[in-house]
Amino acid sequence: MTKFRDVVAAICLTICLAGAISLIVLVWMVPSQTPMVTNLLNILLFILSSLFAVIVGYYFARVSTSEKVDTIAEQSTEKMVHLSLQLQHLKSYLQETVEVAEEESHVNIMAEMNAYRHRVEAAAETAASLASSNETFRSDWLGIVSDSARGAIEKKYEKLREYLQDAETYERLKTERIAGGTTAAEDEKLRAVEARIEIARKQLPIQQLPFRPLVHQPAVSVEQVIKEASESHQTGTLKVKVIRPVFMATGSGKLTPPMRSVPWISHKLVSHPAELIVDNFRASPGTGTTYDFNICLKSMMFGVYLPLGEYVFEYDAGENGAGRASDATSRPSLRATSATPQG
C-alpha cells in the first residue's frame, strides 16, 4: 500500500510540474489574454503549484520521519542487545550458584546456605533492575507516535507499573505471614493484592517465547588408540574422560576392520582419577555388533557422582571368547568382568 501511494504521488507530482510549466509557457507565448482567461490561468497555476508543494512536503516529511525512526530503532537495538547480554550473564551467574554452594559446603553447611542465599538475592535484584530498564524503550517511541498510540502505550506501562508494585507488596506480605507477623487487616490486603495480580496477568500482553531445546554438554569425551587390528582379534586403549558430573557414563570405540562375528570384550582399568574409590565403581564392556563396542562406567554409591577426569582402559576383543584371556588380570584392579555378546 505504501508503494502504491508513492507511485500515485510521483505521478501527480509530475503532472503538476508539467501543467505549471505549460501554463507559464502559454502565458508567455500569448501575452494578450482576456481578463477572464488570465484569471482562469492564474487559478490553475495556483492549484498546480499548491499540489506540487503539498506532494513535495509529503516526501520531505517521509524522509524526516524515516530518519527519526531509524535513529530510535538503532538506539533501541543497542538497548535490546545490552539487555540480552545482561540476561545471558544472569543465566551464567545462576548456573554457577550450585558450584559455589558446593565449594562452600566443604567449610560448613551454614557457609553453603549463606553463599546460596546471597547469590539468589543478588540475582533477584539484577532481574528486577533489568525489568525496570524497559521503561527507557517507552520513552524512545513516545516522541514520534500519534496521540492515540501514545495513550495506548502509557496505559500499558501504567498497568505494568501497578503489577510490579503489587508483586513487591505480595512478596513482602507473604514473607511477613510466614514469619507470623501479619494482622487480620494485612491478610485481607494480601488477598486483595492476589486478586489484582490475577486480573493484571490477564490484561497485560503476553508474548509467546520461542522454543529452544535444552542442549546438554556431553558427559564424556573419548579417545581410542588401536594396537592390534584384524578380523579375528583386536586390542587397544580407550580413554574415557568424564567432563561433567554424572552417575553413569559410556565410552564407545570402533572395531576396525569389522570383525567376522560379534566378539567377546574384556578390559582392564590402567589409570583413573585420584578421587576414585575402586570398590564403589563398576565398569562393564559390551557390544552387539561387529564394528563397535562400549565400556559403561557406573558409580555404585547412591547419590555420589563419578569423579571427573580420565579413565584409561586396555581392551581386548576376540572371537569365541579369545578376548577373555586377559580378563583375569583385570580383576585385581577392577571389579568388572568381561561382557558377553549382546544381541
Side-chain angles (χ1 to χ4, degrees):
M1 182 62 69
T2 303
K3 185 177 180 180
F4 175 76
R5 288 200 301 265
D6 291 342
V7 171
V8 172
I11 294 174
C12 293
L13 182 64
T14 304
I15 293 174
C16 292
L17 181 61
I21 294 175
S22 300
L23 289 177
I24 294 173
V25 172
L26 180 61
V27 171
W28 179 71
M29 294 181 62
V30 186
S32 56
Q33 304 284 347
T34 62
M36 182 177 295
V37 173
T38 302
N39 291 334
L40 181 59
L41 292 176
N42 289 336
I43 292 173
L44 291 175
L45 184 60
F46 172 77
I47 293 173
L48 292 175
S49 60
S50 298
L51 289 174
F52 182 84
V54 170
I55 295 173
V56 171
Y58 164 77
Y59 276 111
F60 273 109
R62 281 281 304 277
V63 172
S64 176
T65 303
S66 177
E67 291 178 352
K68 185 181 293 184
V69 171
D70 290 344
T71 301
I72 293 177
E74 290 178 3
Q75 294 175 350
S76 296
T77 300
E78 292 178 357
K79 293 178 181 179
M80 286 186 287
V81 170
H82 172 73
L83 182 61
S84 297
L85 292 175
Q86 292 300 313
L87 290 173
Q88 180 66 28
H89 172 71
L90 179 60
K91 170 180 173 291
S92 301
Y93 183 81
L94 289 173
Q95 289 176 332
E96 293 171 358
T97 299
V98 176
E99 298 178 4
V100 173
E102 288 180 350
E103 292 176 358
E104 293 295 331
S105 66
H106 295 296
V107 180
N108 55 60
I109 188 64
M110 289 304 299
E112 178 184 4
M113 293 301 299
N114 289 333
Y116 182 80
R117 184 182 298 107
H118 170 74
R119 292 180 72 88
V120 169
E121 291 176 353
E125 290 296 330
T126 303
S129 176
L130 294 176
S132 63
S133 68
N134 282 331
E135 186 74 16
T136 60
F137 290 94
R138 175 187 66 88
S139 60
D140 287 341
W141 294 101
L142 290 181
I144 62 172
V145 298
S146 62
D147 292 338
S148 59
R150 184 181 297 109
I153 292 174
E154 290 287 7
K155 184 177 180 180
K156 290 179 181 178
Y157 268 89
E158 183 62 29
K159 287 287 185 182
L160 176 62
R161 281 192 290 267
E162 292 176 359
Y163 172 78
L164 295 177
Q165 290 175 359
D166 286 338
E168 291 182 0
T169 303
Y170 175 78
E171 292 296 332
R172 178 178 58 81
L173 292 176
K174 188 172 69 172
T175 302
E176 292 177 357
R177 170 186 278 185
I178 294 174
T182 58
T183 63
E186 289 176 336
D187 289 340
E188 182 65 27
K189 183 178 180 180
L190 179 61
R191 287 190 290 270
V193 171
E194 289 178 345
R196 290 200 303 268
I197 289 176
E198 186 62 27
I199 295 173
R201 285 174 178 169
K202 297 179 180 179
Q203 294 178 344
L204 289 172
I206 303 298
Q207 297 291 332
Q208 294 294 331
L209 295 177
F211 173 74
R212 293 181 58 188
L214 183 62
V215 180
H216 291 287
Q217 178 188 10
V220 300
S221 63
V222 180
E223 180 182 348
Q224 181 181 8
V225 179
I226 299 175
K227 297 180 180 179
E228 179 184 347
S230 69
E231 294 182 351
S232 60
H233 186 220
Q234 299 189 22
T235 62
T237 301
L238 192 70
K239 298 179 181 179
V240 182
K241 186 175 183 180
V242 178
I243 55 181
R244 66 178 174 88
V246 290
F247 297 108
M248 182 184 302
T250 301
S252 298
K254 297 294 184 182
L255 296 173
T256 306
M259 302 188 71
R260 288 192 295 259
S261 61
V262 177
W264 291 79
I265 306 293
S266 65
H267 69 287
K268 178 182 179 181
L269 181 64
V270 296
S271 177
H272 57 76
E275 299 84 2
L276 178 69
I277 301 176
V278 177
D279 290 338
N280 298 334
F281 165 79
R282 185 175 68 188
S284 302
T287 182
T289 70
T290 59
Y291 51 82
D292 66 359
F293 69 97
N294 62 75
I295 297 179
C296 180
L297 291 67
K298 183 178 181 180
S299 173
M300 302 305 294
M301 290 291 292
F302 179 77
V304 177
Y305 291 117
L306 290 171
L308 303 183
E310 193 172 72
Y311 299 74
V312 181
F313 296 91
E314 291 181 351
Y315 68 88
D316 192 326
E319 293 181 337
N320 300 322
R324 288 180 292 176
S326 63
D327 188 48
T329 61
S330 68
R331 294 180 186 273
S333 301
L334 191 63
R335 299 194 324 174
T337 59
S338 58
T340 59
Q342 302 173 2

